[in-house]
Amino acid sequence: MLNIILFGPPGSGKGTQAENLVEKYNLKHISTGDLLREEKAKETPLGLEAKKFMDQGLLVPDEVVIGMISSKLDEQADKVKGFIFDGFPRTVDQAEALDKLLDFKEITIAQVLALNVSEEELVKRILNRGKTSGRADDMDEATIRQRVTEYENKTAPVADYYGKQNKLIRIPGEGSIELTFNLLVDKISTIK
Ligand code: B4P
């Protein structure tokens, strides 16, 4: 199986690149952001809980997200060539929980591809998406900057977690979508 984590701050291109990689490698895309937005739209108890955090630019509590991922892996693990995790794990606790879940299923992560983009570019991209996305967390600059702060405080340490496992690869993410995609494919092609 080819299992990859796409890592990076909000607006760095994780979702955008994951869609292209899924097509190229025929993988299953697991985006916790998309899953949470689906739950929100359906107004499930999980979605209503998640909304309180997402609309303020805060991370949803670990136990909510880990439970959701666990059931997705159970549904899919036998059927696909591999997974692209997009927006997960976002805390060290989530990374540890993912390792335990994957160990149990005898699945390993091959690479963690981390997209580097400056804060000003992130804010610009997300505000631009906010014109059409209808996402409350994309429309207000203060909320976007709160998301970046959450990333720096809680998510950036996840890079060290995978660095210690020699799985972290940093990729410049400020170029065009196509250029960034080519850089990602170059790295994935080195996986044995
Ligand atoms: P996500 O859905 O993961 O939101 P995101 O970080 O904004 O998405 P992404 O980074 O994939 O966007 P992309 O760059 O592709 O999370 C939303 C919220 O859900 C979080 O704030 C949190 O509350 C909650 N959540 C999700 N997962 C969680 C977890 N594991 N734990 C706790 N809470 C969790 O796209 C951004 C824009 O940039 C797009 O318009 C795109 O077209 C554009 N773009 C992309 N690449 C570009 C490029 N190279 N050049 C120009 N524009 C580009």
Side-chain angles (χ1 to χ4, degrees), residues 145-163:
R145 291 201 188 268
Q146 175 62 58
R147 288 163 63 189
V148 176
T149 303
E150 281 279 88
Y151 171 81
E152 277 160 9
N153 292 339
K154 298 183 183 165
T155 307
V158 175
D160 290 341
Y161 178 88
Y162 287 109

Side-chain angles (χ1 to χ4, degrees), residues 76-95:
Q76 305 283 345
D78 303 335
K79 300 178 197 152
V80 296
K81 288 194 174 164
F83 292 100
I84 291 193
F85 295 95
D86 157 12
F88 180 85
R90 253 178 161 100
T91 63
V92 172
D93 282 353
Q94 290 182 17

Side-chain angles (χ1 to χ4, degrees), residues 95-116:
E96 286 169 351
L98 180 63
D99 271 350
K100 282 193 194 127
L101 280 172
L102 295 181
D103 268 358
F104 187 66
K105 295 179 201 304
E106 299 184 343
I107 297 174
T108 51
I109 296 292
Q111 285 179 350
V112 178
L113 298 162
L115 295 168
N116 283 344

Side-chain angles (χ1 to χ4, degrees), residues 8-14 90 117 121-123 125-126 129 147 173:
S12 57
K14 303 180 298 287
R90 253 178 161 100
V117 178
E121 174 71 12
L122 298 173
V123 172
R125 285 184 189 176
I126 298 175
R129 181 173 63 187
R147 288 163 63 189

Side-chain angles (χ1 to χ4, degrees), residues 9-192:
S12 57
K14 303 180 298 287
T16 306
Q17 298 298 341
E19 277 178 26
N20 297 334
L21 292 170
V22 159
E23 207 170 303
K24 181 169 174 73
Y25 294 103
N26 197 14
L27 303 174
K28 172 74 187 167
H29 181 193
I30 296 198
S31 158
T32 40
D34 288 349
L35 293 171
L36 290 167
R37 279 186 289 278
E38 273 168 33
E39 298 284 338
K40 232 175 104 175
K42 287 192 231 149
E43 301 189 336
T44 63
L46 192 157
L48 293 174
E49 177 65 12
K51 179 176 169 25
K52 292 187 225 157
F53 298 90
M54 293 172 80
D55 288 358
Q56 292 182 65
L58 301 173
L59 291 183
V60 175
D62 286 337
E63 59 276 15
V64 175
V65 180
I66 293 166
M68 190 176 73
I69 281 279
S70 173
S71 57
K72 279 288 148 189
L73 286 176
D74 282 341
E75 279 169 29
Q76 305 283 345
D78 303 335
K79 300 178 197 152
V80 296
K81 288 194 174 164
F83 292 100
I84 291 193
F85 295 95
D86 157 12
F88 180 85
R90 253 178 161 100
T91 63
V92 172
D93 282 353
Q94 290 182 17
E96 286 169 351
L98 180 63
D99 271 350
K100 282 193 194 127
L101 280 172
L102 295 181
D103 268 358
F104 187 66
K105 295 179 201 304
E106 299 184 343
I107 297 174
T108 51
I109 296 292
Q111 285 179 350
V112 178
L113 298 162
L115 295 168
N116 283 344
V117 178
S118 66
E119 178 164 346
E120 289 323 299
E121 174 71 12
L122 298 173
V123 172
K124 199 171 87 187
R125 285 184 189 176
I126 298 175
L127 278 174
N128 196 34
R129 181 173 63 187
K131 291 178 195 159
T132 52
S133 68
R135 280 173 55 175
D137 62 341
D138 278 355
M139 288 181 207
D140 167 51
E141 184 166 338
T143 309
I144 296 169
R145 291 201 188 268
Q146 175 62 58
R147 288 163 63 189
V148 176
T149 303
E150 281 279 88
Y151 171 81
E152 277 160 9
N153 292 339
K154 298 183 183 165
T155 307
V158 175
D160 290 341
Y161 178 88
Y162 287 109
K164 286 182 192 145
Q165 298 184 11
N166 290 322
K167 291 183 175 170
L168 183 74
I169 298 174
R170 294 194 186 272
I171 310 262
E174 284 210 16
S176 67
I177 291 173
E178 194 187 3
L179 179 72
T180 308
F181 179 69
N182 290 337
L183 294 174
L184 290 165
V185 169
D186 279 351
K187 292 297 175 193
I188 294 170
S189 68
T190 65
I191 298 174
K192 298 196 178 75

